[in-house]
Amino acid sequence: MLSFVFDTLTSDGRPVAVCVMCRSRDREIKETLKKLKNIEFGSYSSGYTVDYRLSSMLRELLEPFGGDIEVFGATVKAGKADCPTGGIIGRIGEGSESAAEGLFSSGGMTFYTAPGRFAFAIDGGIPGELTDKALEEGSAETIYSALTACGRDFVFIADGSGGGKGAAAVRGEIVMLSETEAKSGERTEFFGLKRIGIMGGTFDPVHYGHLIAAETVRDELSLDKVIFMPTGHTTYKKGRPSEGRHRYTMTALAAADNPAFLVSSMELAGKGYSYTADTVRKIRERCGRDTEIFFITGSDVVEYMSGWKDFSALTKMCSFAAVNRGGSHGGAALDRLSAAGADIKKIDIPDLEISSSMIRERIRNRKTVKYLLPESVEGYIRLHGLYTGGKAESALDTVLDKLI
Ligand code: ATP
Ligand code: MG
């Protein structure tokens, strides 16, 4: 398998970069890609417009090569665009994605994209020639030769400027440029939102029970956003959960197709134990005074919530949305919390007998988990060998670790 980055300019001097992997006919493909030279993208009003146009152009150009070729990333730097573009990413035949911010998995790989930056990762490492120095000098050839030299297995992250600045991983050691420092998937600004839901959980892994609970509450209470908050260390959970970054990434993958869902690493970033009261306080500080916050919880959590640190302070900072789990909203425990002054709304959701523990157990026992959780999350679990008793850290893990 040969890999290369094709780099050219649009008619008004915008750089275009396309990263291609092909089994054969690489010269022919290179020649074909030259047709991208001096193309006119029209108005640069939005990065996404440019992305989509490049995507369809590529699909048309590369159609004749069918399965011989895979395109892993393509990008245009649109200088005067209202918003910067991160290009497109994904396999051309399967339909590629614009660089809306997000994480997604396809064909056993995990991609991170963002306006102004793009990244892709394949399990493996990249040889030593790639240094940030070489990338700074803007040499597409440097990237090309390094990718070619290492064959299929490489991890590469670039900023979307057509072979200009970028970053690369060297056998698990990432060479960082500033662009990759921004956290993905997370927007820490909640200002302007009037009604926020917070869905706390271990999310080890996230599943359709969580998603249906969050979406139903969002709808019933007309929430602007639901923030998924994977927990850091907690006092109340037995056993050690998977690493925070895995739980964060899986939750981000699951939340990706719902514009009302956000994922926060606020609790994961802290070193010590995380307490809901502290988290809600921090979110309150970032919101307007009149913002209403609803903490979403299933009936099993309702049972022990009154024992949480600063619970009575928490009841003054937010309301609660209690969803049914196992047929109950929390029964007597719920009534006790209400009597103690908590504002609790009972929300009915379709009862789903799904739990993360059950999914972990099924994976350990090699049973199917299809239809219990999003496919992208299942793909991520398989890619990282989660819940099976372990697989060595891969370079991809290291890259994602730094990236998110
Ligand atoms: P585990 O089995 O590891 O405890 P879990 O499935 O209970 O995992 P958590 O991350 O512990 O998931 O739960 C986070 C929140 O989501 C809790 O408030 C929990 O009650 C709620 N929740 C989880 N699964 C469901 C479900 N199937 N229906 C309704 N609520 C759920
Ligand atoms: Mg649980």
Side-chain angles (χ1 to χ4, degrees):
M1 174 85 77
L2 278 176
S3 338
F4 60 89
V5 172
F6 172 79
D7 191 270
T8 184
L9 293 180
T10 62
S11 55
D12 52 352
R14 319 281 187 201
V16 179
V18 181
C19 180
V20 176
M21 290 184 148
C22 44
R23 275 180 269 279
S24 59
R25 300 195 283 169
D26 56 302
R27 190 168 297 278
E28 239 176 282
I29 290 165
K30 234 175 183 169
E31 286 305 310
T32 307
L33 286 175
K34 284 205 176 129
K35 291 188 191 142
L36 286 175
K37 221 169 202 156
N38 300 323
I39 43 169
E40 182 53 74
F41 278 104
S43 144
Y44 286 90
S45 58
S46 140
Y48 302 114
T49 315
V50 179
D51 296 344
Y52 285 122
R53 293 211 46 197
L54 181 60
S55 170
S56 62
M57 257 179 236
L58 272 176
R59 196 166 309 142
E60 235 166 72
L61 275 175
L62 299 173
E63 182 101 77
F65 301 100
D68 278 349
I69 169 166
E70 288 169 294
V71 177
F72 284 105
T75 175
V76 181
K77 181 163 184 167
K80 292 199 183 89
D82 287 344
C83 69
T85 166
I88 55 161
I89 202 150
R91 288 187 169 81
I92 226 72
E94 290 171 10
S96 45
E97 306 238 346
S98 167
E101 189 175 38
L103 270 163
F104 64 97
S105 277
S106 166
M109 293 192 295
T110 303
F111 301 90
Y112 165 71
T113 72
R117 313 182 288 276
F118 83 92
F120 59 84
I122 301 169
D123 214 358
I126 199 163
E129 302 95 79
L130 268 187
T131 64
D132 58 349
K133 183 101 188 30
L135 287 161
E136 293 270 17
E137 281 160 9
S139 159
E141 279 77 12
T142 313
I143 304 174
Y144 164 56
S145 62
L147 292 179
T148 307
C150 73
R152 200 199 148 91
D153 293 332
F154 65 86
V155 177
F156 169 63
I157 295 171
D159 73 344
S161 63
K165 288 184 188 172
V170 182
R171 296 213 182 284
E173 224 11 76
I174 189 147
V175 182
M176 294 276 291
L177 289 182
S178 54
E179 287 82 359
T180 57
E181 276 163 16
K183 300 283 178 200
S184 77
E186 181 168 1
R187 274 135 282 187
T188 46
E189 287 302 325
F190 307 124
F191 212 82
L193 301 177
K194 295 287 176 224
R195 294 169 72 80
I196 297 179
I198 302 176
M199 177 95 195
T202 318
F203 304 123
D204 194 17
V206 62
H207 53 70
Y208 281 129
H210 298 128
L211 297 170
I212 284 195
E215 173 63 8
T216 311
V217 173
R218 181 203 62 75
D219 189 42
E220 291 289 326
L221 300 181
S222 307
L223 304 180
D224 299 317
K225 296 280 176 193
V226 175
I227 305 165
F228 286 79
M229 184 71 65
T231 52
H233 298 287
T234 54
T235 45
Y236 58 87
K237 201 116 189 179
K238 280 199 221 105
R240 256 187 74 171
S242 306
E243 279 175 62
R245 66 196 168 90
H246 286 316
R247 294 184 288 115
Y248 176 90
T249 308
M250 290 188 284
T251 313
L253 286 168
D257 62 359
N258 190 328
F261 286 177
L262 298 176
V263 185
S264 171
S265 62
M266 198 184 272
E267 290 201 354
L268 297 171
K271 292 262 179 294
Y273 286 103
S274 48
Y275 299 102
T276 304
D278 299 337
T279 306
V280 173
R281 191 172 294 118
K282 280 188 212 149
I283 291 182
R284 269 245 155 269
E285 283 163 9
R286 296 181 193 184
C287 298
R289 276 169 166 266
D290 55 345
T291 301
E292 285 187 74
I293 297 180
F294 297 86
F295 191 82
I296 305 169
T297 159
S299 54
D300 54 316
V301 177
V302 164
E303 302 280 337
Y304 56 85
M305 232 158 58
S306 62
W308 283 0
K309 179 182 165 248
D310 290 345
F311 183 72
S312 84
L314 180 66
T315 60
K316 297 192 178 65
M317 291 186 279
C318 69
S319 304
F320 297 86
V323 301
N324 46 295
R325 191 174 189 188
S328 147
H329 284 84
L334 195 76
D335 297 338
R336 277 196 301 277
L337 295 182
S338 296
D343 174 33
I344 306 180
K345 314 240 178 299
K346 284 192 204 176
I347 309 288
D348 289 325
I349 62 165
D351 227 330
L352 281 185
E353 288 284 327
I354 306 177
S355 70
S356 304
S357 353
M358 170 242 260
I359 292 175
R360 293 194 299 270
E361 170 125 9
R362 293 186 70 86
I363 292 174
R364 208 167 19 252
N365 295 327
R366 300 182 195 286
K367 292 205 159 94
T368 178
V369 291
K370 204 170 167 64
Y371 309 126
L372 298 176
L373 75 177
E375 231 173 270
S376 55
V377 178
E378 187 185 348
Y380 186 91
I381 292 171
R382 308 265 179 233
L383 179 65
H384 293 271
L386 302 183
Y387 314 126
T388 53
K391 187 184 116 174
E393 275 277 287
S394 69
L396 173 62
D397 289 320
T398 316
V399 174
L400 289 176
D401 205 13
K402 306 254 174 157
L403 195 63
I404 59 182

